[in-house]
Amino acid sequence: MKELEAFVAVVDRGSFSRAAESLYLTQPTISAHVAALERKLSIKLLVRTTKEIYPSDAGNLLYDYAKEILRLRSAAVQAIKAFTHDMRGSIHVAASTIPGQYYLPKLIQGFRSVYPDISFSLQVLDSTEVAERVAGRKAEIGFTGTVISLPKCVYQPLTEDRLVIITPNTPKYQAFQSTGFPVRQLTREPFISREPGSGTRLETESFLKEMGVDMRDIRIAVEVRSTESIKQMVSEGLGIAVISKSACEDYCQFKKLLSFNFDSVNLRRKLYLVRHKNSILSPIAQAFYDYAANAFAGKSKAQG
C-alpha cells in the first residue's frame, strides 16, 4: 500500500519532492518505495528526465488500478467505522444544474438533520460531465436530468421534472396565455439554450424532434451554462427558452417572465440518481443514496 501510495502521489504531482510533502515523508523514502514497486513488477513505471517525471505506458496502466485499490482501502476503513456507528466524513456528489440547485439543497438539509457529522463536496456541472465524473470515480453519486450512455453508469429514476417555455412578459407573449405556446412559434423566435451537454437541452431536443420540429430551424441566439443567466436574458428580451418549471417559478412570481406549456403537450422528463456500475459505495455515500431514493419515492407515491 505504501508503495502504491508513493507511486500515485508522484504521478499526481509530477515530482518526488511534492509527493513526499503530500505524504509527510522524505524524498528518499518516496524514491525507495517507487523503486521497490518497479523491482517487484520487473518494469519501469516512471520516466525521469531533467525537466519532468511522467508515467510510462506500464505506469499509466497501473495508475488506474492503484487509485482503485487505494479507494477501496479507504472505503474499507469507512465501512469498519460505520459498523461501529461512527457515521462521519464527506460525500463527493456531482449534480446537473436543475437537481443541483433546486432539489439537492432540501435533500442534503434533511439528510444532515439525521447525520450531522457528514459533509458534502458538491460540484454542479452539466449532465454529461456528471456522468463522466461518476464513470471516472471522481464522484461517488451523481444526479442528472437525462440518461447519458456510459456503460459504467447505472441510473435510477427519481422523480419527474416539468419543462416549460419561458418568454418575456410582454403583450406579444401574453396573447398565448389562453391557448398555450404554439410549437411552430419556436422557429420564429431567437432561442436561448443551455450548452450541448446539458440534460435540459438534450431532453428538449428529443421532445421537439418527436413533435416534428427540425432543430436546424431553431435560431439559437446564445448558448449558456447557467439557468439563472438564461432567465435573466429572456427577461431582458433576448429570446425565449425551455427550462425546468422549478427553475423559473421565482421570476414568474415577480412577473419578470411568462411560462407556457406547448399547445399540444406537457413536457416531462425524469431526474436520475447515478452511481458507478462496479463500485462499492462508502457507507456514508450508500446511506445518502438510499435516503435520496426513498425521499423521492415517497414524493412520487404522494403525487400518485
Side-chain angles (χ1 to χ4, degrees):
M1 286 294 181
K2 292 184 181 297
E3 292 164 2
L4 291 175
E5 277 184 334
F7 168 70
V8 168
V10 172
V11 174
D12 285 343
R13 290 161 179 80
S15 162
F16 281 89
S17 60
R18 288 194 291 271
E21 290 175 3
S22 70
L23 296 176
Y24 302 100
L25 297 172
T26 64
Q27 184 172 332
T29 300
I30 295 293
S31 298
H33 283 328
V34 173
L37 190 59
E38 290 178 325
R39 284 197 305 273
K40 289 176 182 177
L41 297 176
S42 301
I43 198 165
K44 208 71 173 172
L45 299 173
L46 294 174
V47 178
R48 303 161 177 82
T49 70
T50 56
K51 294 184 178 180
E52 60 180 338
I53 298 171
Y54 58 91
S56 64
D57 290 343
N60 277 321
L61 178 62
L62 177 63
Y63 177 78
D64 289 336
Y65 286 103
K67 291 280 283 188
E68 180 64 5
I69 290 168
L70 295 174
R71 187 196 68 78
L72 284 172
R73 181 189 66 172
S74 177
V77 171
Q78 288 189 338
I80 296 301
K81 288 182 177 180
F83 187 73
T84 59
H85 307 289
D86 183 21
M87 293 291 281
R88 62 180 69 240
S90 181
I91 304 172
H92 296 278
V93 176
S96 61
T97 303
I98 298 306
Q101 291 185 352
Y102 303 101
Y103 289 85
L104 269 177
K106 289 184 179 178
L107 197 60
I108 291 174
Q109 181 186 25
F111 182 78
R112 292 195 74 250
S113 69
V114 181
Y115 301 106
D117 293 325
I118 295 177
S119 62
F120 287 80
S121 173
L122 173 63
Q123 285 189 304
V124 178
L125 308 161
D126 65 41
S127 289
T128 300
E129 291 169 325
V130 169
E132 289 171 348
R133 291 196 72 80
V134 172
R137 295 191 173 94
K138 295 178 181 177
E140 292 180 274
I141 297 172
F143 292 81
T144 65
T146 191
V147 172
I148 304 299
S149 296
L150 291 178
K152 293 182 180 179
C153 290
V154 176
Y155 294 84
Q156 176 174 330
L158 286 180
T159 189
E160 284 191 339
D161 180 51
R162 183 172 158 195
L163 297 177
V164 295
I165 302 160
I166 57 172
T167 73
N169 188 1
T170 62
K172 172 183 175 180
Y173 300 105
Q174 290 166 5
F176 297 124
Q177 287 184 307
S178 61
T179 61
F181 197 89
V183 174
R184 291 298 171 186
Q185 188 69 24
L186 282 175
T187 62
R188 305 185 184 107
E189 306 282 349
F191 197 78
I192 314 298
S193 174
R194 286 289 305 275
E195 74 283 6
S198 157
T200 298
R201 174 160 174 170
L202 292 171
E203 291 294 319
T204 299
E205 290 179 351
S206 176
F207 285 133
L208 295 181
K209 185 176 180 181
E210 289 178 10
M211 289 187 283
V213 177
D214 190 334
M215 291 306 301
R216 292 173 295 183
D217 294 333
I218 300 293
R219 297 185 292 128
I220 296 179
V222 183
E223 286 184 352
V224 61
R225 290 183 65 93
S226 166
T227 300
E228 292 299 313
S229 296
I230 287 179
K231 293 191 295 185
Q232 185 63 35
M233 289 180 182
V234 172
S235 70
E236 295 290 341
L238 271 70
I240 64 174
V242 174
I243 67 172
S244 166
K245 181 173 176 60
S246 301
C248 70
E249 287 177 342
D250 53 349
Y251 272 56
C252 292
Q253 180 181 352
F254 292 103
K255 303 188 184 304
K256 297 175 69 175
L257 291 174
L258 298 175
S259 72
F260 298 90
N261 296 314
F262 283 113
D263 56 358
S264 56
V265 68
N266 288 339
L267 302 188
R268 294 183 180 274
R269 52 95 178 256
K270 285 184 171 62
L271 300 181
Y272 296 90
L273 187 59
V274 192
R275 63 183 295 172
H276 195 285
K277 180 179 180 180
N278 299 319
S279 286
I280 299 173
L281 293 176
S282 66
I284 57 175
Q286 185 66 58
F288 180 62
Y289 184 96
D290 294 339
Y291 180 88
N294 290 333
F296 281 106
K299 289 181 181 179
S300 296
K301 290 177 181 178
Q303 290 170 354

